[in-house]
Amino acid sequence: MDKIQLPLFLKQYARNEYSPLQHEAFILWTKTATIAELEEVMEHYLQFEEETGVFELPSPDFIKALESRLDLLDQQPVAIKNRLWYAVAAAVALIAFGIFFYTQPHPPKSSVSLVNGTDLLPGKHQAVLTLANGSKISLTDLGRGKLATEAGVILEKSGDGQISYTTKEHTPSLKNEQLRYNTISTPKGGLYQVILPDGTKVWLNAASSLKYPVQFASQERRVMLTGEAYFEVSKRKAQPFLVSTDQQEIKVLGTHFNVNSYQDDHQTLTTLLEGRVSVSPLTHPSTQKILLPGQQSRLRGTEITLAQVNTEAVMAWKRNLFSFNHADLKMIMTEFSRWYDVPVVFEGTMSQQRFSGEVSKNIKASEFLEILSSFKVKFRIEGKGRDKQQSRIIVSIK
């Protein structure tokens, strides 16, 4: 259990809506937590206790026994006390805090079951690169070094897993009709980073692809995106950077922004972190909006709206986190499906509850689903042994 998940667990614990998996993860965490971390968590829990009124401290006899241990320590010489005080205080706090959660009633039965299958692992850094000649290179397990040379540009993979392009000296600029394109594609459950020939850095989220020339034209830098990506564009005033999706075009000179254009979301979200961009629908180029830092444009059909957003939440995927803000179960399971690369089937009428919070993307599918147990639904991971391609998630009313 990481620190991000603690507030959610404590809230569910206070309501008796937590899962066995969450409970075990929390107990393991208490065994290595510092005094400061325990105090912070206890403060969180006391806030939830005020809402529910269910909190009960360990018995008076147990508290008295702990106090007597501290009294014995006070009788020791000063040098010993200075040396041992922190260790004993930490042990006492851990025991007091741990005993309370160990001795509470057993949590409700797990809402996640495995049927003929195994648990699903989270996604990882993986992608496929398609060269201009149509050949494909799997980047997942490929070692570092030179991969190819095209149109006077050297393609390499670095030690940290990203790919980059370096233009040879004295390579002439090309016209649009001479451009040779590469495409980098991430599968469901994949992430990857690429540095384009102009130095622009791009991070691709799961089930996304970016098509770009191995050498940009002299008058503009144009790339084509499907899915979601974050861009840090290198500044070239005389050579604007253009991002085209199936619904819109973004024009920038040098800036940091995120584009979410998954087709099954039926909308395109563009979020500006730094600089300035213009956004316009492909069908109505004159309907243009200028974004300022902290703003997000939402394109539905031909209509574009602007709103201030929490950019940290938008960029949570880049920090390997799910971030949900008042999201319903269907929205959550759409992101789940992309990351764990598994289809989701709904049975019955879904809950109208909403969920807000951040969840680590480094956990197994069952752990993610246990966190959603407060939705009052059951999750079933079905499969055929270890064959992930035959797996699916069934979501049904409890």
Side-chain angles (χ1 to χ4, degrees):
M1 176 171 290
D2 58 41
K3 196 171 182 179
I4 293 172
Q5 298 174 39
L6 282 171
L8 175 61
F9 166 74
L10 294 172
K11 189 171 185 178
Q12 291 178 326
Y13 191 94
R15 297 174 176 175
N16 199 32
E17 295 175 343
Y18 62 102
S19 69
L21 192 62
Q22 289 174 299
H23 186 258
E24 291 171 10
F26 177 77
I27 294 301
L28 288 174
W29 177 84
T30 64
K31 294 180 179 179
T32 58
T34 65
I35 291 294
E37 288 174 329
L38 291 172
E39 290 176 347
E40 182 181 354
V41 168
M42 185 59 83
E43 287 178 5
H44 276 297
Y45 188 75
L46 288 174
Q47 292 175 359
F48 298 134
E49 178 267 336
E50 291 178 359
E51 300 174 6
T52 61
V54 300
F55 180 78
E56 293 181 10
L57 287 170
S59 68
D61 290 340
F62 181 74
I63 296 295
K64 186 175 180 180
L66 293 179
E67 291 175 344
S68 67
R69 289 177 64 183
L70 294 178
D71 290 340
L72 288 174
L73 181 66
D74 284 335
Q75 297 171 16
Q76 301 296 320
V78 174
I80 296 177
K81 283 195 291 185
N82 290 341
R83 187 171 63 248
L84 297 179
W85 171 253
Y86 181 81
V88 173
V92 168
L94 284 170
I95 292 171
F97 202 57
I99 286 291
F100 168 70
F101 283 95
Y102 268 124
T103 56
Q104 294 307 293
H106 292 296
K109 187 178 179 181
S110 173
S111 297
V112 180
S113 60
L114 300 177
V115 182
N116 298 325
T118 58
D119 208 344
L120 304 177
L121 296 177
K124 61 181 180 179
H125 289 271
Q126 55 182 330
V128 172
L129 179 68
T130 303
L131 302 179
N133 61 12
S135 60
K136 297 181 182 295
I137 301 175
S138 174
L139 302 173
T140 306
D141 301 314
L142 197 65
R144 63 180 298 180
K146 180 178 174 181
L147 302 180
T149 301
E150 291 186 297
V153 177
I154 301 172
L155 168 61
E156 296 179 293
K157 182 178 180 182
S158 65
D160 57 4
Q162 70 184 14
I163 63 170
S164 61
Y165 292 78
T166 305
T167 304
K168 294 180 179 179
E169 293 185 9
H170 310 302
T171 300
S173 298
L174 301 177
K175 297 180 180 180
N176 282 336
E177 61 269 17
Q178 298 174 316
L179 298 180
R180 295 167 63 86
Y181 288 87
N182 283 182
T183 301
I184 184 169
S185 305
T186 56
K188 288 186 175 182
L191 296 171
Y192 219 81
Q193 181 184 355
V194 57
I195 300 178
L196 300 181
D198 66 332
T200 292
K201 297 179 180 178
V202 185
W203 287 259
L204 282 176
N205 203 349
S208 303
S209 69
L210 184 73
K211 183 179 179 180
Y212 51 91
V214 296
Q215 182 187 352
F216 286 110
S218 57
Q219 69 274 21
E220 67 178 22
R221 297 169 288 167
R222 182 182 295 273
V223 300
M224 286 70 78
L225 171 71
T226 61
E228 183 170 19
Y230 169 67
F231 295 82
E232 292 186 356
V233 178
S234 62
K235 295 183 179 181
R236 294 187 181 183
K237 291 184 178 180
Q239 196 180 23
F241 193 93
L242 304 171
V243 180
S244 297
T245 70
D246 64 336
Q247 297 185 57
Q248 71 174 21
E249 181 175 274
I250 304 167
K251 183 177 181 178
V252 304
L253 293 176
T255 188
H256 299 179
F257 61 99
N258 191 78
V259 184
N260 183 322
S261 63
Y262 288 111
Q263 292 185 351
D264 52 357
D265 286 345
H266 307 294
Q267 64 181 3
T268 300
L269 303 175
T270 305
T271 308
L272 183 63
L273 282 76
E274 178 183 308
R276 190 178 180 186
V277 302
S278 68
V279 178
S280 57
L282 293 180
T283 54
H284 291 75
S286 60
T287 309
Q288 178 180 291
K289 296 287 186 180
I290 304 296
L291 273 68
L292 300 177
Q295 288 186 325
Q296 180 182 83
S297 68
R298 182 189 302 268
L299 172 62
R300 286 180 179 271
T302 60
E303 182 181 1
I304 300 180
T305 57
L306 298 183
Q308 289 292 132
V309 295
N310 180 348
T311 57
E312 286 291 317
V314 173
M315 295 310 305
W317 70 266
K318 188 170 171 286
R319 294 179 286 122
N320 227 24
L321 296 171
F322 292 104
S323 182
F324 303 112
N325 181 23
H326 204 55
D328 61 24
L329 189 58
K330 188 172 183 180
M331 294 168 60
I332 293 171
M333 295 309 294
T334 297
E335 288 200 38
F336 172 92
S337 176
R338 288 186 193 130
W339 184 238
Y340 290 94
D341 188 14
V342 63
V344 176
V345 179
F346 293 90
E347 293 181 346
T349 303
M350 288 299 100
S351 168
Q352 297 303 307
Q353 287 180 270
R354 299 278 175 164
F355 178 88
S356 297
E358 292 186 337
V359 180
S360 171
K361 298 180 81 170
N362 292 322
I363 58 178
K364 294 180 180 180
S366 63
E367 295 174 296
F368 179 98
L369 297 175
E370 285 286 8
I371 293 172
L372 301 180
S373 61
S374 61
F375 272 98
K376 305 299 183 185
V377 294
K378 289 183 178 180
F379 300 97
R380 200 165 69 248
I381 303 177
E382 293 186 344
K384 293 183 179 179
R386 296 184 177 276
D387 187 356
K388 184 177 180 179
Q389 301 303 316
Q390 298 297 320
S391 297
R392 64 174 185 166
I393 307 296
I394 308 296
V395 186
S396 58
I397 297 294
K398 285 185 178 179

